[in-house]
Amino acid sequence: MASDSDKKEMPARTDKVIERTNGALEPDLPIEARGQIGSQLRKVYGDMLQEPLPDVFSKLLSDLARSETEGK
Amino acid sequence: MSIHDPLVFQKDLAALVPNLRAFARSLAGGADQADDLVQETLVKAWKHRDSFAEGSNLKAWLFTILRNVFLSERRKRKFEVADSDGMFADQLSVKGSQASRMDLLDFQKAFEKLPHEQREALILIGAEGFAYEEAALMCGCAVGTVKSRVNRARAKLAEMLGVTGAEDYANDDFMVRTRAHGS
């Protein structure tokens, strides 16, 4: 009888099936969907990495380094 | 030259501040809170630099410190979870972005609806490219847990953003069922 059509599509459309958790197989997203999510995520993250840094960080680091070499 | 040389360590830390900021924003939400988190992390890292094993992954070590600071501050209720500022609020006017403004807004909103464990896992694996085993060590959980969080995060994002072909794969236990389009 028609069994495959009743169930969710499994490995044929995905490139990976993760191991069992909570007793159920969790198929990964189809690769196209994962690709879209991933590239949006990396685009936004990458843009953030390019941001100019506020001075506070380099100042903090040089203060920390200076307190090592001076004093004591 | 030893990494424990102050000037070398200072330089190595400085190079990773952008990554720390980005990771902090995904955890803490607001830009100011995130920057505070990074500063606390740098101070802690400096204080404990002798415990950093030379040759091991400095970024992973720093991310772990940042994560622990975030969790302990959260326990003290210093940080709100995903406030209205938004993780990527400053990113909406990026130059040369091919994504439309609406796409980035939708993505930001959808991302913030994820629980912080899923946001963290997605950043570590999907954005920073850590191995699952590394991410599991950093988060103090099993590899399977990281994989599960990443997959659930992707599925929820895909469903919220209306990504084609993802509907069949979405979990039922969404925290918020919203559609990004038309909102």
Side-chain angles (χ1 to χ4, degrees), chain A residues 37, chain B residues 106-107 109-114 153-163 170 174 176-181:
Chain A
I37 298 294
Chain B
D106 286 347
F107 186 85
K109 282 185 185 160
F111 190 85
E112 284 162 17
K113 291 186 191 326
L114 300 175
R154 283 174 176 151
K156 287 185 191 179
L157 284 175
E159 214 245 9
M160 286 191 276
L161 298 171
V163 172
F174 281 21
V176 179
R177 281 191 162 278
T178 57
R179 287 284 172 193
H181 298 298

mmCIF file with all atom_site columns, all heavy atoms in Angstrom, chain A residues 37, chain B residues 106-107 109-114 153-163 170 174 176-181:
data_model
loop_
_atom_site.group_PDB
_atom_site.id
_atom_site.type_symbol
_atom_site.label_atom_id
_atom_site.label_alt_id
_atom_site.label_comp_id
_atom_site.label_asym_id
_atom_site.label_entity_id
_atom_site.label_seq_id
_atom_site.pdbx_PDB_ins_code
_atom_site.Cartn_x
_atom_site.Cartn_y
_atom_site.Cartn_z
_atom_site.occupancy
_atom_site.B_iso_or_equiv
_atom_site.pdbx_formal_charge
_atom_site.auth_seq_id
_atom_site.auth_comp_id
_atom_site.auth_asym_id
_atom_site.auth_atom_id
_atom_site.pdbx_PDB_model_num
ATOM 1   N N   . ILE A 1 37  ? 19.576 29.811 4.821  1.00 0.00 ? 37  ILE A N   1
ATOM 2   C CA  . ILE A 1 37  ? 19.724 30.238 6.218  1.00 0.00 ? 37  ILE A CA  1
ATOM 3   C C   . ILE A 1 37  ? 21.184 30.544 6.501  1.00 0.00 ? 37  ILE A C   1
ATOM 4   O O   . ILE A 1 37  ? 21.536 31.577 7.056  1.00 0.00 ? 37  ILE A O   1
ATOM 5   C CB  . ILE A 1 37  ? 19.231 29.139 7.182  1.00 0.00 ? 37  ILE A CB  1
ATOM 6   C CG1 . ILE A 1 37  ? 17.752 28.860 6.983  1.00 0.00 ? 37  ILE A CG1 1
ATOM 7   C CG2 . ILE A 1 37  ? 19.523 29.509 8.625  1.00 0.00 ? 37  ILE A CG2 1
ATOM 8   C CD1 . ILE A 1 37  ? 16.853 30.001 7.362  1.00 0.00 ? 37  ILE A CD1 1
ATOM 9   N N   . ASP B 2 106 ? 13.750 40.716 8.795  1.00 0.00 ? 106 ASP B N   1
ATOM 10  C CA  . ASP B 2 106 ? 13.095 39.451 9.074  1.00 0.00 ? 106 ASP B CA  1
ATOM 11  C C   . ASP B 2 106 ? 14.059 38.489 9.749  1.00 0.00 ? 106 ASP B C   1
ATOM 12  O O   . ASP B 2 106 ? 13.701 37.803 10.688 1.00 0.00 ? 106 ASP B O   1
ATOM 13  C CB  . ASP B 2 106 ? 12.590 38.815 7.772  1.00 0.00 ? 106 ASP B CB  1
ATOM 14  C CG  . ASP B 2 106 ? 11.364 39.542 7.251  1.00 0.00 ? 106 ASP B CG  1
ATOM 15  O OD1 . ASP B 2 106 ? 10.798 40.342 8.014  1.00 0.00 ? 106 ASP B OD1 1
ATOM 16  O OD2 . ASP B 2 106 ? 10.989 39.304 6.109  1.00 0.00 ? 106 ASP B OD2 1
ATOM 17  N N   . PHE B 2 107 ? 15.263 38.414 9.233  1.00 0.00 ? 107 PHE B N   1
ATOM 18  C CA  . PHE B 2 107 ? 16.226 37.486 9.779  1.00 0.00 ? 107 PHE B CA  1
ATOM 19  C C   . PHE B 2 107 ? 16.538 37.837 11.225 1.00 0.00 ? 107 PHE B C   1
ATOM 20  O O   . PHE B 2 107 ? 16.581 36.971 12.099 1.00 0.00 ? 107 PHE B O   1
ATOM 21  C CB  . PHE B 2 107 ? 17.517 37.485 8.939  1.00 0.00 ? 107 PHE B CB  1
ATOM 22  C CG  . PHE B 2 107 ? 18.494 36.439 9.362  1.00 0.00 ? 107 PHE B CG  1
ATOM 23  C CD1 . PHE B 2 107 ? 18.402 35.152 8.883  1.00 0.00 ? 107 PHE B CD1 1
ATOM 24  C CD2 . PHE B 2 107 ? 19.490 36.736 10.284 1.00 0.00 ? 107 PHE B CD2 1
ATOM 25  C CE1 . PHE B 2 107 ? 19.279 34.171 9.295  1.00 0.00 ? 107 PHE B CE1 1
ATOM 26  C CE2 . PHE B 2 107 ? 20.390 35.762 10.702 1.00 0.00 ? 107 PHE B CE2 1
ATOM 27  C CZ  . PHE B 2 107 ? 20.280 34.473 10.198 1.00 0.00 ? 107 PHE B CZ  1
ATOM 28  N N   . LYS B 2 109 ? 14.688 39.487 13.369 1.00 0.00 ? 109 LYS B N   1
ATOM 29  C CA  . LYS B 2 109 ? 13.540 39.207 14.236 1.00 0.00 ? 109 LYS B CA  1
ATOM 30  C C   . LYS B 2 109 ? 13.393 37.720 14.481 1.00 0.00 ? 109 LYS B C   1
ATOM 31  O O   . LYS B 2 109 ? 13.112 37.282 15.595 1.00 0.00 ? 109 LYS B O   1
ATOM 32  C CB  . LYS B 2 109 ? 12.251 39.733 13.586 1.00 0.00 ? 109 LYS B CB  1
ATOM 33  C CG  . LYS B 2 109 ? 12.057 41.217 13.721 1.00 0.00 ? 109 LYS B CG  1
ATOM 34  C CD  . LYS B 2 109 ? 10.695 41.620 13.164 1.00 0.00 ? 109 LYS B CD  1
ATOM 35  C CE  . LYS B 2 109 ? 10.555 43.134 13.194 1.00 0.00 ? 109 LYS B CE  1
ATOM 36  N NZ  . LYS B 2 109 ? 9.515  43.606 12.273 1.00 0.00 ? 109 LYS B NZ  1
ATOM 37  N N   . ALA B 2 110 ? 13.568 36.960 13.420 1.00 0.00 ? 110 ALA B N   1
ATOM 38  C CA  . ALA B 2 110 ? 13.428 35.517 13.559 1.00 0.00 ? 110 ALA B CA  1
ATOM 39  C C   . ALA B 2 110 ? 14.516 34.965 14.472 1.00 0.00 ? 110 ALA B C   1
ATOM 40  O O   . ALA B 2 110 ? 14.256 34.130 15.347 1.00 0.00 ? 110 ALA B O   1
ATOM 41  C CB  . ALA B 2 110 ? 13.496 34.849 12.186 1.00 0.00 ? 110 ALA B CB  1
ATOM 42  N N   . PHE B 2 111 ? 15.727 35.438 14.283 1.00 0.00 ? 111 PHE B N   1
ATOM 43  C CA  . PHE B 2 111 ? 16.851 34.961 15.080 1.00 0.00 ? 111 PHE B CA  1
ATOM 44  C C   . PHE B 2 111 ? 16.628 35.210 16.554 1.00 0.00 ? 111 PHE B C   1
ATOM 45  O O   . PHE B 2 111 ? 16.929 34.357 17.400 1.00 0.00 ? 111 PHE B O   1
ATOM 46  C CB  . PHE B 2 111 ? 18.140 35.645 14.598 1.00 0.00 ? 111 PHE B CB  1
ATOM 47  C CG  . PHE B 2 111 ? 19.403 35.071 15.175 1.00 0.00 ? 111 PHE B CG  1
ATOM 48  C CD1 . PHE B 2 111 ? 20.008 33.968 14.603 1.00 0.00 ? 111 PHE B CD1 1
ATOM 49  C CD2 . PHE B 2 111 ? 19.988 35.640 16.304 1.00 0.00 ? 111 PHE B CD2 1
ATOM 50  C CE1 . PHE B 2 111 ? 21.174 33.436 15.128 1.00 0.00 ? 111 PHE B CE1 1
ATOM 51  C CE2 . PHE B 2 111 ? 21.162 35.110 16.840 1.00 0.00 ? 111 PHE B CE2 1
ATOM 52  C CZ  . PHE B 2 111 ? 21.749 34.005 16.245 1.00 0.00 ? 111 PHE B CZ  1
ATOM 53  N N   . GLU B 2 112 ? 16.097 36.378 16.882 1.00 0.00 ? 112 GLU B N   1
ATOM 54  C CA  . GLU B 2 112 ? 15.884 36.719 18.282 1.00 0.00 ? 112 GLU B CA  1
ATOM 55  C C   . GLU B 2 112 ? 14.810 35.890 18.955 1.00 0.00 ? 112 GLU B C   1
ATOM 56  O O   . GLU B 2 112 ? 14.747 35.838 20.186 1.00 0.00 ? 112 GLU B O   1
ATOM 57  C CB  . GLU B 2 112 ? 15.525 38.201 18.409 1.00 0.00 ? 112 GLU B CB  1
ATOM 58  C CG  . GLU B 2 112 ? 16.722 39.095 18.257 1.00 0.00 ? 112 GLU B CG  1
ATOM 59  C CD  . GLU B 2 112 ? 16.317 40.510 17.940 1.00 0.00 ? 112 GLU B CD  1
ATOM 60  O OE1 . GLU B 2 112 ? 15.139 40.855 18.163 1.00 0.00 ? 112 GLU B OE1 1
ATOM 61  O OE2 . GLU B 2 112 ? 17.181 41.252 17.468 1.00 0.00 ? 112 GLU B OE2 1
ATOM 62  N N   . LYS B 2 113 ? 13.979 35.244 18.169 1.00 0.00 ? 113 LYS B N   1
ATOM 63  C CA  . LYS B 2 113 ? 12.940 34.420 18.759 1.00 0.00 ? 113 LYS B CA  1
ATOM 64  C C   . LYS B 2 113 ? 13.475 33.062 19.197 1.00 0.00 ? 113 LYS B C   1
ATOM 65  O O   . LYS B 2 113 ? 12.796 32.304 19.881 1.00 0.00 ? 113 LYS B O   1
ATOM 66  C CB  . LYS B 2 113 ? 11.787 34.227 17.764 1.00 0.00 ? 113 LYS B CB  1
ATOM 67  C CG  . LYS B 2 113 ? 11.001 35.503 17.515 1.00 0.00 ? 113 LYS B CG  1
ATOM 68  C CD  . LYS B 2 113 ? 9.797  35.211 16.652 1.00 0.00 ? 113 LYS B CD  1
ATOM 69  C CE  . LYS B 2 113 ? 9.055  36.425 16.110 1.00 0.00 ? 113 LYS B CE  1
ATOM 70  N NZ  . LYS B 2 113 ? 8.981  37.596 16.916 1.00 0.00 ? 113 LYS B NZ  1
ATOM 71  N N   . LEU B 2 114 ? 14.678 32.757 18.768 1.00 0.00 ? 114 LEU B N   1
ATOM 72  C CA  . LEU B 2 114 ? 15.268 31.479 19.153 1.00 0.00 ? 114 LEU B CA  1
ATOM 73  C C   . LEU B 2 114 ? 15.730 31.524 20.606 1.00 0.00 ? 114 LEU B C   1
ATOM 74  O O   . LEU B 2 114 ? 16.199 32.566 21.068 1.00 0.00 ? 114 LEU B O   1
ATOM 75  C CB  . LEU B 2 114 ? 16.472 31.156 18.262 1.00 0.00 ? 114 LEU B CB  1
ATOM 76  C CG  . LEU B 2 114 ? 16.231 31.030 16.758 1.00 0.00 ? 114 LEU B CG  1
ATOM 77  C CD1 . LEU B 2 114 ? 17.563 30.822 16.047 1.00 0.00 ? 114 LEU B CD1 1
ATOM 78  C CD2 . LEU B 2 114 ? 15.279 29.888 16.457 1.00 0.00 ? 114 LEU B CD2 1
ATOM 79  N N   . ALA B 2 153 ? 17.297 25.135 15.335 1.00 0.00 ? 153 ALA B N   1
ATOM 80  C CA  . ALA B 2 153 ? 17.419 26.569 15.031 1.00 0.00 ? 153 ALA B CA  1
ATOM 81  C C   . ALA B 2 153 ? 17.178 26.812 13.545 1.00 0.00 ? 153 ALA B C   1
ATOM 82  O O   . ALA B 2 153 ? 16.435 27.710 13.154 1.00 0.00 ? 153 ALA B O   1
ATOM 83  C CB  . ALA B 2 153 ? 18.802 27.082 15.435 1.00 0.00 ? 153 ALA B CB  1
ATOM 84  N N   . ARG B 2 154 ? 17.818 25.990 12.726 1.00 0.00 ? 154 ARG B N   1
ATOM 85  C CA  . ARG B 2 154 ? 17.643 26.159 11.283 1.00 0.00 ? 154 ARG B CA  1
ATOM 86  C C   . ARG B 2 154 ? 16.190 25.944 10.871 1.00 0.00 ? 154 ARG B C   1
ATOM 87  O O   . ARG B 2 154 ? 15.640 26.693 10.051 1.00 0.00 ? 154 ARG B O   1
ATOM 88  C CB  . ARG B 2 154 ? 18.502 25.146 10.532 1.00 0.00 ? 154 ARG B CB  1
ATOM 89  C CG  . ARG B 2 154 ? 19.968 25.482 10.472 1.00 0.00 ? 154 ARG B CG  1
ATOM 90  C CD  . ARG B 2 154 ? 20.710 24.341 9.833  1.00 0.00 ? 154 ARG B CD  1
ATOM 91  N NE  . ARG B 2 154 ? 22.124 24.634 9.667  1.00 0.00 ? 154 ARG B NE  1
ATOM 92  C CZ  . ARG B 2 154 ? 23.066 23.696 9.674  1.00 0.00 ? 154 ARG B CZ  1
ATOM 93  N NH1 . ARG B 2 154 ? 22.742 22.426 9.846  1.00 0.00 ? 154 ARG B NH1 1
ATOM 94  N NH2 . ARG B 2 154 ? 24.332 24.037 9.500  1.00 0.00 ? 154 ARG B NH2 1
ATOM 95  N N   . ALA B 2 155 ? 15.593 24.907 11.432 1.00 0.00 ? 155 ALA B N   1
ATOM 96  C CA  . ALA B 2 155 ? 14.218 24.594 11.062 1.00 0.00 ? 155 ALA B CA  1
ATOM 97  C C   . ALA B 2 155 ? 13.272 25.722 11.466 1.00 0.00 ? 155 ALA B C   1
ATOM 98  O O   . ALA B 2 155 ? 12.391 26.120 10.698 1.00 0.00 ? 155 ALA B O   1
ATOM 99  C CB  . ALA B 2 155 ? 13.786 23.278 11.700 1.00 0.00 ? 155 ALA B CB  1
ATOM 100 N N   . LYS B 2 156 ? 13.471 26.264 12.672 1.00 0.00 ? 156 LYS B N   1
ATOM 101 C CA  . LYS B 2 156 ? 12.610 27.354 13.115 1.00 0.00 ? 156 LYS B CA  1
ATOM 102 C C   . LYS B 2 156 ? 12.819 28.612 12.281 1.00 0.00 ? 156 LYS B C   1
ATOM 103 O O   . LYS B 2 156 ? 11.872 29.291 11.907 1.00 0.00 ? 156 LYS B O   1
ATOM 104 C CB  . LYS B 2 156 ? 12.878 27.667 14.589 1.00 0.00 ? 156 LYS B CB  1
ATOM 105 C CG  . LYS B 2 156 ? 12.330 26.628 15.538 1.00 0.00 ? 156 LYS B CG  1
ATOM 106 C CD  . LYS B 2 156 ? 12.526 27.063 16.985 1.00 0.00 ? 156 LYS B CD  1
ATOM 107 C CE  . LYS B 2 156 ? 12.218 25.916 17.926 1.00 0.00 ? 156 LYS B CE  1
ATOM 108 N NZ  . LYS B 2 156 ? 12.428 26.325 19.344 1.00 0.00 ? 156 LYS B NZ  1
ATOM 109 N N   . LEU B 2 157 ? 14.064 28.925 11.999 1.00 0.00 ? 157 LEU B N   1
ATOM 110 C CA  . LEU B 2 157 ? 14.349 30.096 11.167 1.00 0.00 ? 157 LEU B CA  1
ATOM 111 C C   . LEU B 2 157 ? 13.722 29.925 9.788  1.00 0.00 ? 157 LEU B C   1
ATOM 112 O O   . LEU B 2 157 ? 13.096 30.839 9.255  1.00 0.00 ? 157 LEU B O   1
ATOM 113 C CB  . LEU B 2 157 ? 15.860 30.302 11.013 1.00 0.00 ? 157 LEU B CB  1
ATOM 114 C CG  . LEU B 2 157 ? 16.607 30.895 12.195 1.00 0.00 ? 157 LEU B CG  1
ATOM 115 C CD1 . LEU B 2 157 ? 18.108 30.921 11.905 1.00 0.00 ? 157 LEU B CD1 1
ATOM 116 C CD2 . LEU B 2 157 ? 16.124 32.305 12.498 1.00 0.00 ? 157 LEU B CD2 1
ATOM 117 N N   . ALA B 2 158 ? 13.908 28.754 9.230  1.00 0.00 ? 158 ALA B N   1
ATOM 118 C CA  . ALA B 2 158 ? 13.400 28.518 7.889  1.00 0.00 ? 158 ALA B CA  1
ATOM 119 C C   . ALA B 2 158 ? 11.888 28.666 7.860  1.00 0.00 ? 158 ALA B C   1
ATOM 120 O O   . ALA B 2 158 ? 11.328 29.262 6.933  1.00 0.00 ? 158 ALA B O   1
ATOM 121 C CB  . ALA B 2 158 ? 13.806 27.134 7.403  1.00 0.00 ? 158 ALA B CB  1
ATOM 122 N N   . GLU B 2 159 ? 11.246 28.150 8.881  1.00 0.00 ? 159 GLU B N   1
ATOM 123 C CA  . GLU B 2 159 ? 9.801  28.258 8.906  1.00 0.00 ? 159 GLU B CA  1
ATOM 124 C C   . GLU B 2 159 ? 9.359  29.701 9.104  1.00 0.00 ? 159 GLU B C   1
ATOM 125 O O   . GLU B 2 159 ? 8.454  30.186 8.430  1.00 0.00 ? 159 GLU B O   1
ATOM 126 C CB  . GLU B 2 159 ? 9.241  27.379 10.030 1.00 0.00 ? 159 GLU B CB  1
ATOM 127 C CG  . GLU B 2 159 ? 7.887  26.772 9.688  1.00 0.00 ? 159 GLU B CG  1
ATOM 128 C CD  . GLU B 2 159 ? 6.772  27.283 10.576 1.00 0.00 ? 159 GLU B CD  1
ATOM 129 O OE1 . GLU B 2 159 ? 6.991  28.225 11.350 1.00 0.00 ? 159 GLU B OE1 1
ATOM 130 O OE2 . GLU B 2 159 ? 5.674  26.725 10.481 1.00 0.00 ? 159 GLU B OE2 1
ATOM 131 N N   . MET B 2 160 ? 10.015 30.422 10.022 1.00 0.00 ? 160 MET B N   1
ATOM 132 C CA  . MET B 2 160 ? 9.642  31.810 10.287 1.00 0.00 ? 160 MET B CA  1
ATOM 133 C C   . MET B 2 160 ? 9.910  32.698 9.071  1.00 0.00 ? 160 MET B C   1
ATOM 134 O O   . MET B 2 160 ? 9.192  33.656 8.822  1.00 0.00 ? 160 MET B O   1
ATOM 135 C CB  . MET B 2 160 ? 10.396 32.350 11.503 1.00 0.00 ? 160 MET B CB  1
ATOM 136 C CG  . MET B 2 160 ? 9.874  31.804 12.820 1.00 0.00 ? 160 MET B CG  1
ATOM 137 S SD  . MET B 2 160 ? 10.576 32.689 14.245 1.00 0.00 ? 160 MET B SD  1
ATOM 138 C CE  . MET B 2 160 ? 12.121 31.797 14.441 1.00 0.00 ? 160 MET B CE  1
ATOM 139 N N   . LEU B 2 161 ? 10.954 32.389 8.319  1.00 0.00 ? 161 LEU B N   1
ATOM 140 C CA  . LEU B 2 161 ? 11.313 33.214 7.177  1.00 0.00 ? 161 LEU B CA  1
ATOM 141 C C   . LEU B 2 161 ? 10.620 32.749 5.910  1.00 0.00 ? 161 LEU B C   1
ATOM 142 O O   . LEU B 2 161 ? 10.805 33.361 4.850  1.00 0.00 ? 161 LEU B O   1
ATOM 143 C CB  . LEU B 2 161 ? 12.841 33.208 6.977  1.00 0.00 ? 161 LEU B CB  1
ATOM 144 C CG  . LEU B 2 161 ? 13.646 33.790 8.136  1.00 0.00 ? 161 LEU B CG  1
ATOM 145 C CD1 . LEU B 2 161 ? 15.133 33.531 7.945  1.00 0.00 ? 161 LEU B CD1 1
ATOM 146 C CD2 . LEU B 2 161 ? 13.397 35.288 8.255  1.00 0.00 ? 161 LEU B CD2 1
ATOM 147 N N   . GLY B 2 162 ? 9.862  31.669 6.007  1.00 0.00 ? 162 GLY B N   1
ATOM 148 C CA  . GLY B 2 162 ? 9.156  31.186 4.835  1.00 0.00 ? 162 GLY B CA  1
ATOM 149 C C   . GLY B 2 162 ? 10.083 30.652 3.768  1.00 0.00 ? 162 GLY B C   1
ATOM 150 O O   . GLY B 2 162 ? 9.829  30.794 2.575  1.00 0.00 ? 162 GLY B O   1
ATOM 151 N N   . VAL B 2 163 ? 11.175 30.026 4.190  1.00 0.00 ? 163 VAL B N   1
ATOM 152 C CA  . VAL B 2 163 ? 12.118 29.471 3.224  1.00 0.00 ? 163 VAL B CA  1
ATOM 153 C C   . VAL B 2 163 ? 11.497 28.253 2.561  1.00 0.00 ? 163 VAL B C   1
ATOM 154 O O   . VAL B 2 163 ? 10.989 27.366 3.223  1.00 0.00 ? 163 VAL B O   1
ATOM 155 C CB  . VAL B 2 163 ? 13.442 29.070 3.927  1.00 0.00 ? 163 VAL B CB  1
ATOM 156 C CG1 . VAL B 2 163 ? 14.354 28.308 2.999  1.00 0.00 ? 163 VAL B CG1 1
ATOM 157 C CG2 . VAL B 2 163 ? 14.135 30.313 4.450  1.00 0.00 ? 163 VAL B CG2 1
ATOM 158 N N   . ALA B 2 170 ? 9.847  21.389 9.770  1.00 0.00 ? 170 ALA B N   1
ATOM 159 C CA  . ALA B 2 170 ? 9.807  22.204 10.985 1.00 0.00 ? 170 ALA B CA  1
ATOM 160 C C   . ALA B 2 170 ? 9.268  21.394 12.147 1.00 0.00 ? 170 ALA B C   1
ATOM 161 O O   . ALA B 2 170 ? 8.399  20.549 11.997 1.00 0.00 ? 170 ALA B O   1
ATOM 162 C CB  . ALA B 2 170 ? 8.942  23.433 10.754 1.00 0.00 ? 170 ALA B CB  1
ATOM 163 N N   . PHE B 2 174 ? 7.398  25.025 18.459 1.00 0.00 ? 174 PHE B N   1
ATOM 164 C CA  . PHE B 2 174 ? 7.905  26.386 18.332 1.00 0.00 ? 174 PHE B CA  1
ATOM 165 C C   . PHE B 2 174 ? 7.486  27.228 19.512 1.00 0.00 ? 174 PHE B C   1
ATOM 166 O O   . PHE B 2 174 ? 6.395  27.084 20.035 1.00 0.00 ? 174 PHE B O   1
ATOM 167 C CB  . PHE B 2 174 ? 7.330  27.046 17.077 1.00 0.00 ? 174 PHE B CB  1
ATOM 168 C CG  . PHE B 2 174 ? 8.011  26.637 15.823 1.00 0.00 ? 174 PHE B CG  1
ATOM 169 C CD1 . PHE B 2 174 ? 8.743  25.465 15.757 1.00 0.00 ? 174 PHE B CD1 1
ATOM 170 C CD2 . PHE B 2 174 ? 7.914  27.416 14.691 1.00 0.00 ? 174 PHE B CD2 1
ATOM 171 C CE1 . PHE B 2 174 ? 9.363  25.072 14.595 1.00 0.00 ? 174 PHE B CE1 1
ATOM 172 C CE2 . PHE B 2 174 ? 8.541  27.033 13.521 1.00 0.00 ? 174 PHE B CE2 1
ATOM 173 C CZ  . PHE B 2 174 ? 9.251  25.868 13.469 1.00 0.00 ? 174 PHE B CZ  1
ATOM 174 N N   . VAL B 2 176 ? 7.242  30.535 19.243 1.00 0.00 ? 176 VAL B N   1
ATOM 175 C CA  . VAL B 2 176 ? 6.362  31.548 18.670 1.00 0.00 ? 176 VAL B CA  1
ATOM 176 C C   . VAL B 2 176 ? 6.040  31.149 17.252 1.00 0.00 ? 176 VAL B C   1
ATOM 177 O O   . VAL B 2 176 ? 6.930  30.839 16.468 1.00 0.00 ? 176 VAL B O   1
ATOM 178 C CB  . VAL B 2 176 ? 7.056  32.933 18.615 1.00 0.00 ? 176 VAL B CB  1
ATOM 179 C CG1 . VAL B 2 176 ? 6.147  33.960 18.002 1.00 0.00 ? 176 VAL B CG1 1
ATOM 180 C CG2 . VAL B 2 176 ? 7.465  33.339 20.017 1.00 0.00 ? 176 VAL B CG2 1
ATOM 181 N N   . ARG B 2 177 ? 4.827  31.101 16.899 1.00 0.00 ? 177 ARG B N   1
ATOM 182 C CA  . ARG B 2 177 ? 4.442  30.787 15.538 1.00 0.00 ? 177 ARG B CA  1
ATOM 183 C C   . ARG B 2 177 ? 4.074  32.091 14.824 1.00 0.00 ? 177 ARG B C   1
ATOM 184 O O   . ARG B 2 177 ? 2.980  32.601 14.967 1.00 0.00 ? 177 ARG B O   1
ATOM 185 C CB  . ARG B 2 177 ? 3.237  29.861 15.514 1.00 0.00 ? 177 ARG B CB  1
ATOM 186 C CG  . ARG B 2 177 ? 3.595  28.413 15.798 1.00 0.00 ? 177 ARG B CG  1
ATOM 187 C CD  . ARG B 2 177 ? 2.423  27.511 15.488 1.00 0.00 ? 177 ARG B CD  1
ATOM 188 N NE  . ARG B 2 177 ? 2.839  26.124 15.348 1.00 0.00 ? 177 ARG B NE  1
ATOM 189 C CZ  . ARG B 2 177 ? 3.364  25.607 14.256 1.00 0.00 ? 177 ARG B CZ  1
ATOM 190 N NH1 . ARG B 2 177 ? 3.554  26.377 13.201 1.00 0.00 ? 177 ARG B NH1 1
ATOM 191 N NH2 . ARG B 2 177 ? 3.717  24.347 14.189 1.00 0.00 ? 177 ARG B NH2 1
ATOM 192 N N   . THR B 2 178 ? 5.020  32.624 14.116 1.00 0.00 ? 178 THR B N   1
ATOM 193 C CA  . THR B 2 178 ? 4.721  33.852 13.381 1.00 0.00 ? 178 THR B CA  1
ATOM 194 C C   . THR B 2 178 ? 5.192  33.680 11.951 1.00 0.00 ? 178 THR B C   1
ATOM 195 O O   . THR B 2 178 ? 6.057  32.865 11.651 1.00 0.00 ? 178 THR B O   1
ATOM 196 C CB  . THR B 2 178 ? 5.458  35.075 13.960 1.00 0.00 ? 178 THR B CB  1
ATOM 197 O OG1 . THR B 2 178 ? 6.864  34.801 13.965 1.00 0.00 ? 178 THR B OG1 1
ATOM 198 C CG2 . THR B 2 178 ? 4.987  35.348 15.367 1.00 0.00 ? 178 THR B CG2 1
ATOM 199 N N   . ARG B 2 179 ? 4.634  34.429 11.080 1.00 0.00 ? 179 ARG B N   1
ATOM 200 C CA  . ARG B 2 179 ? 5.089  34.482 9.708  1.00 0.00 ? 179 ARG B CA  1
ATOM 201 C C   . ARG B 2 179 ? 5.800  35.797 9.495  1.00 0.00 ? 179 ARG B C   1
ATOM 202 O O   . ARG B 2 179 ? 5.260  36.843 9.805  1.00 0.00 ? 179 ARG B O   1
ATOM 203 C CB  . ARG B 2 179 ? 3.905  34.388 8.736  1.00 0.00 ? 179 ARG B CB  1
ATOM 204 C CG  . ARG B 2 179 ? 3.309  33.017 8.665  1.00 0.00 ? 179 ARG B CG  1
ATOM 205 C CD  . ARG B 2 179 ? 4.179  32.108 7.848  1.00 0.00 ? 179 ARG B CD  1
ATOM 206 N NE  . ARG B 2 179 ? 3.720  30.714 7.907  1.00 0.00 ? 179 ARG B NE  1
ATOM 207 C CZ  . ARG B 2 179 ? 4.428  29.693 7.494  1.00 0.00 ? 179 ARG B CZ  1
ATOM 208 N NH1 . ARG B 2 179 ? 5.613  29.868 7.005  1.00 0.00 ? 179 ARG B NH1 1
ATOM 209 N NH2 . ARG B 2 179 ? 3.941  28.464 7.573  1.00 0.00 ? 179 ARG B NH2 1
ATOM 210 N N   . ALA B 2 180 ? 6.982  35.758 8.973  1.00 0.00 ? 180 ALA B N   1
ATOM 211 C CA  . ALA B 2 180 ? 7.737  36.993 8.776  1.00 0.00 ? 180 ALA B CA  1
ATOM 212 C C   . ALA B 2 180 ? 7.092  37.870 7.718  1.00 0.00 ? 180 ALA B C   1
ATOM 213 O O   . ALA B 2 180 ? 7.012  39.076 7.839  1.00 0.00 ? 180 ALA B O   1
ATOM 214 C CB  . ALA B 2 180 ? 9.175  36.676 8.378  1.00 0.00 ? 180 ALA B CB  1
ATOM 215 N N   . HIS B 2 181 ? 6.613  37.250 6.654  1.00 0.00 ? 181 HIS B N   1
ATOM 216 C CA  . HIS B 2 181 ? 6.053  38.054 5.575  1.00 0.00 ? 181 HIS B CA  1
ATOM 217 C C   . HIS B 2 181 ? 4.710  38.641 5.986  1.00 0.00 ? 181 HIS B C   1
ATOM 218 O O   . HIS B 2 181 ? 3.901  37.973 6.624  1.00 0.00 ? 181 HIS B O   1
ATOM 219 C CB  . HIS B 2 181 ? 5.854  37.182 4.331  1.00 0.00 ? 181 HIS B CB  1
ATOM 220 C CG  . HIS B 2 181 ? 7.137  36.620 3.827  1.00 0.00 ? 181 HIS B CG  1
ATOM 221 N ND1 . HIS B 2 181 ? 8.154  37.404 3.380  1.00 0.00 ? 181 HIS B ND1 1
ATOM 222 C CD2 . HIS B 2 181 ? 7.580  35.353 3.742  1.00 0.00 ? 181 HIS B CD2 1
ATOM 223 C CE1 . HIS B 2 181 ? 9.164  36.626 3.026  1.00 0.00 ? 181 HIS B CE1 1
ATOM 224 N NE2 . HIS B 2 181 ? 8.843  35.384 3.236  1.00 0.00 ? 181 HIS B NE2 1
#
